[in-house]
Structures are given as C-alpha cells and as structure tokens.
Amino acid sequence: MLSPATIDTIKSTVPVLEKHGTDITKRFYELLFSNHPELLNVFNHANQKQGRQQAALAGAVYAAAQHIDNLEAIIPVVKMIGHKHRSLGIKAEHYPIVGRNLLAAIQDVLGLSATDPVVLAWGEAYGVIADAFISVEADMYEQAEHQEGGWADFRPFRVERKVKESDEIVSFYLVPVDGKPIAAFDPGQYVSVKAEIPGEPNVHIRQYSLSVAPGQPYYRISVKRESGLSGRPDGKVSNYLHDSIEPGDVLPLSAPAGSFTLDGGDSRPVVLISGGVGLTPLVSMLRHSAQTNPSRPVTIIHAARNGDVHALKEEVKHVAAANSGIAAYWCYEQPTEQDKELGEYDREGRIDLNWLQQIVPSKQASFYFCGPVPFMKAVNGALREWGVEEADIHYEFFGPSGSLD
C-alpha cells in the first residue's frame, strides 16, 4: 500500500507527465538499450524509430499516475499490455531493470536529484505498479504453458503452406514441428513470431493476428509486406517472411495471446470493420461466429485501396454465401479499372457515418474494428457520433497502443 504522502506526490506529477511524458520515455529507452543492449532482441525497432513505443509508454505512465490511488481502474490496460509482454517473453526479472532506467530518465529530464521527493515517490509507486504487472503476467504464463496443447516461451513451427492472398499479403500455415496438439485460442488473438534474419545483429519479434477460426490443427498468419511508404521504415520481418520463408522452413512461435477477442456469449448483432491488413483478426471472428453461432447476424465491412490489395476476399464471400445472416461490404478508395468493370465493391472512397447507417441495420450491436491508426480514428469518430455505446466499441492497435481521440 502506498502512503497518502506518496499518492499526493505522484498525483502532483500528472501535469508534468502530460507535458514531458514522451521526453521521459524517449530518454528511458536510450538508457535502457545503452545499459542493456540484450533487450534489443525483444523490442520492435521500427516502433522505436517511429516514436510509437515511446508514446505508448508515456500514456501508460500517465494513466498510472492519474489512477495511483485506484489502480484497479487500469487493470484492463495492465491485462492488455500483459498479453503483449507474455507473448514477447518479458519476465519478472526485467521489471527492476525497467524501474532503474525509468527513474533515471525522470531525473534526467526533470533535473531532479536522487533524493528528490518526486523520485523517491515514483520509486515506491513503480514497485507497486510492477507487482501488479508481474502478478497478472505470471497467471498468463501459467495458463499458456499448462493449457491443453500449450507451451512456455517459443515453440518451433514448420511452414506447411505459403499462399499469396493479394499483391501485399501472404498467408503462412504453421504446424508444430513436434507433431503434438496446439493450444486453442480466442478469435482475434495473435502469436509472436521470432525471426533470426541473416545479417541482422539482433533477433526480431513481431506479433501477427491469427486469421483462421479456432479448432484447426494449424495456425495461420496473413502478413502484409511493409514497404516503407509514408515515411515509415521497411518492415524487416514482413519482408523477410515474404522473400525468404518457404514451405518446410521453421519459425518459433509464442502461444496465442491478446485481449481483442469476440464475445461469443453475446447474441446481439456484430459489426466487423477492417482496413487493410486489419481484416486478419476479424476474419477469424467471422469464421468462428459462423461456425459456433450461425444465427447471430454479422455485418463485415472491409476497406482497401483496391481489389489488387484486398486479401481473403473470396474466403469471406464463401462464408457469407453459406450463411444468410452474414452481410459483406467492400469499400475501395482507389478502385482499378478492372474493379470498376467487375463491379465487385460497394463504395468508392472511404467509410463514413452516412454509409455505415445505410448498411448497418442498427447501432444496437457490438462493433469491432482494426486497421491503420487514421482509419481507426475515423471509424471510432463515426461510431461515437452515431451514439454507439462505449461498451460496444472494441478495437485493436497493431503495435503499441495509442489514442483514437
């Protein structure tokens, strides 16, 4: 338990963290990787370069400070981050390392001494927050390892099939090398893939949504080639998987993880809205719902630049054709001439509230969406403008969490 004085001190830093939070977390990662370069084998370097990891950590620290007197309020966030930590292999022994470097970063940025009351208070508070993460993640490690078909850390899987789904996306069908059963998963969850790329000094770990319904003897991930557009760095792992991994090759995988999952106990209509490769967890949800709750109405809406980059289209059409309760719609921002000739899309341009209200029977539904951050901001804004209840809005960031405000 934190003392009232410590709580008051932490809360007094909320305005400071709002102003300097990203500077603190940027300095934190500089110190962390300088003092512990082995952790470069865990963290996503691309997210570091884009500043996404720094912003996500700043948001988490800010939230912890806001709710330091009621940490129960951030347990959902702790669990979401815990899933990512477990799938990456973050362990209890890493938390003291993080704590030391975080406190040093706070001191550096704010110009504090080691005996300053703010540093002492944050040292005490960090211990409590770290214990919460360690406890949650210990349960996750236990469940992942001891469930039927489960395992600890990473397990070797062989690529059974490699299928081109579009000009940008390739699916990999993965089976365990040891031939034993694999762990079940909830539709919407992901696995981490560990890639040891020739010529790269560090191991790279990436998380990919499972794009198949649970219950198969294999996992499937559908990977978009990240080609460095819009100022983003090339995707080292996605390019490696596309160019170098073939059937018969072996990839180490973590057990499935993630909190962005379909509520199978909800019988109300569900609306799945995806942009680009964000369709992968939603296809898993679609197939699972069709198999286990075929009477549940489902509307699936996918946005893509055009038909050339629209993955898994025939698969979704097949599922929809076999189930009268499923309606599928496509939105192409820049349809090709062939798209226009075939007429196999429903809207040119972007998804907006007016179109959603035309094709979605009611806002009394569970909405799930995933895709690029600008896309998710637009969908989130439309749903909130429509008056969809906050409890019915569910979304997943590919990578570190951010804000949709």
Side-chain angles (χ1 to χ4, degrees):
M1 293 290 291
L2 296 174
S3 69
T6 296
I7 290 172
D8 289 343
T9 301
I10 295 298
K11 280 192 166 291
S12 74
T13 65
V14 168
V16 177
L17 292 173
E18 187 173 18
K19 182 178 180 180
H20 298 287
T22 303
D23 292 333
I24 291 171
T25 54
K26 181 180 178 181
R27 180 57 177 154
F28 159 73
Y29 282 113
E30 290 173 353
L31 292 170
L32 181 69
F33 296 140
S34 175
N35 295 327
H36 295 275
E38 72 277 6
L39 292 179
L40 287 166
N41 294 311
V42 176
F43 287 86
N44 185 317
H45 301 186
N47 289 334
Q48 292 288 327
K49 291 179 180 178
Q50 296 175 62
R52 293 186 65 191
Q53 192 70 56
Q54 295 90 330
L57 178 58
V61 172
Y62 179 72
Q66 280 187 307
H67 299 284
I68 195 64
D69 54 348
N70 179 27
L71 289 176
E72 289 292 322
I74 65 169
I75 287 299
V77 175
V78 171
K79 288 183 176 179
M80 180 191 70
I81 297 173
H83 275 286
K84 294 187 177 184
H85 283 179
R86 199 275 297 158
S87 76
L88 292 170
I90 300 294
K91 300 290 180 65
E93 56 264 30
H94 292 125
Y95 279 90
I97 296 171
V98 169
R100 288 193 297 272
N101 288 279
L102 181 60
L103 292 179
I106 291 173
Q107 289 176 252
D108 284 359
V109 173
L110 302 185
L112 303 176
S113 69
T115 57
D116 190 282
V118 170
V119 176
L120 296 175
W122 263 106
E124 185 181 349
Y126 177 80
V128 172
I129 296 167
D131 285 345
F133 275 94
I134 291 169
S135 176
V136 166
E137 291 165 16
D139 289 342
M140 291 179 176
Y141 276 106
E142 178 77 14
Q143 181 182 356
E145 182 175 1
H146 296 292
Q147 65 181 311
E148 183 177 356
W151 66 94
D153 299 320
F154 286 83
R155 179 179 176 186
F157 277 69
R158 185 179 68 255
V159 177
E160 188 175 60
R161 280 192 291 157
K162 179 180 179 181
V163 178
K164 183 178 179 180
E165 306 286 5
S166 76
D167 285 356
E168 294 180 336
I169 296 175
V170 168
S171 286
F172 297 86
Y173 290 73
L174 304 160
V175 296
V177 170
D178 61 19
K180 296 179 180 179
I182 57 177
F185 64 93
D186 294 324
Q189 289 192 306
Y190 53 80
V191 293
S192 286
V193 176
K194 181 183 288 187
E196 298 188 26
I197 304 174
E200 283 290 318
N202 299 111
V203 171
H204 295 270
I205 302 175
R206 295 292 185 273
Q207 293 160 330
Y208 294 106
S209 296
L210 293 161
S211 61
V212 68
Q216 304 297 326
Y218 57 84
Y219 294 141
R220 182 179 73 178
I221 58 173
S222 301
V223 179
K224 177 188 175 186
R225 181 193 292 275
E226 298 294 346
S227 54
L229 299 176
S230 304
R232 296 190 299 268
D234 285 347
K236 287 185 179 179
V237 177
S238 68
N239 280 275
Y240 170 66
L241 294 175
H242 273 247
D243 296 336
S244 302
I245 296 300
E246 300 294 341
D249 290 334
V250 173
L251 294 169
L253 265 60
S254 70
S259 55
F260 177 64
T261 57
L262 182 68
D263 183 357
D266 187 352
S267 61
R268 294 181 308 149
V270 62
V271 182
L272 309 173
I273 308 174
S274 58
V277 75
L279 88 167
T280 51
L282 303 189
V283 168
S284 178
M285 294 180 185
L286 174 73
R287 296 195 68 108
H288 181 73
S289 183
Q291 293 171 6
T292 62
N293 193 2
S295 63
R296 185 180 189 183
V298 180
T299 303
I300 183 165
I301 305 161
H302 181 61
R305 290 199 311 278
N306 52 54
D308 292 343
V309 295
H310 184 172
L312 305 174
K313 180 177 181 179
E314 294 304 316
E315 181 173 327
V316 172
K317 286 171 61 177
H318 176 76
V319 175
N323 192 313
S324 61
I326 296 175
Y329 298 92
W330 320 129
C331 178
Y332 289 170
E333 185 176 3
Q334 300 169 353
T336 64
E337 290 303 317
Q338 184 177 18
D339 291 332
K340 294 176 181 179
E341 290 177 10
L342 295 175
E344 289 193 347
Y345 62 98
D346 303 282
R347 176 179 175 83
E348 181 174 346
R350 298 184 179 185
I351 295 172
D352 60 19
L353 177 56
N354 181 58
W355 188 51
L356 285 176
Q357 290 174 324
Q358 293 176 40
I359 61 177
V360 176
S362 170
K363 67 179 181 181
Q364 304 301 323
S366 290
F367 290 81
Y368 295 79
F369 58 93
C370 187
V373 173
F375 167 86
M376 294 208 298
K377 287 183 176 181
V379 171
N380 185 61
L383 296 181
R384 293 185 183 279
E385 183 180 345
W386 194 3
V388 176
E389 294 288 338
E390 185 172 354
D392 289 330
I393 297 177
H394 314 275
Y395 53 87
E396 170 93 315
F397 286 94
F398 281 171
S401 296
S403 171
L404 295 186
D405 294 333

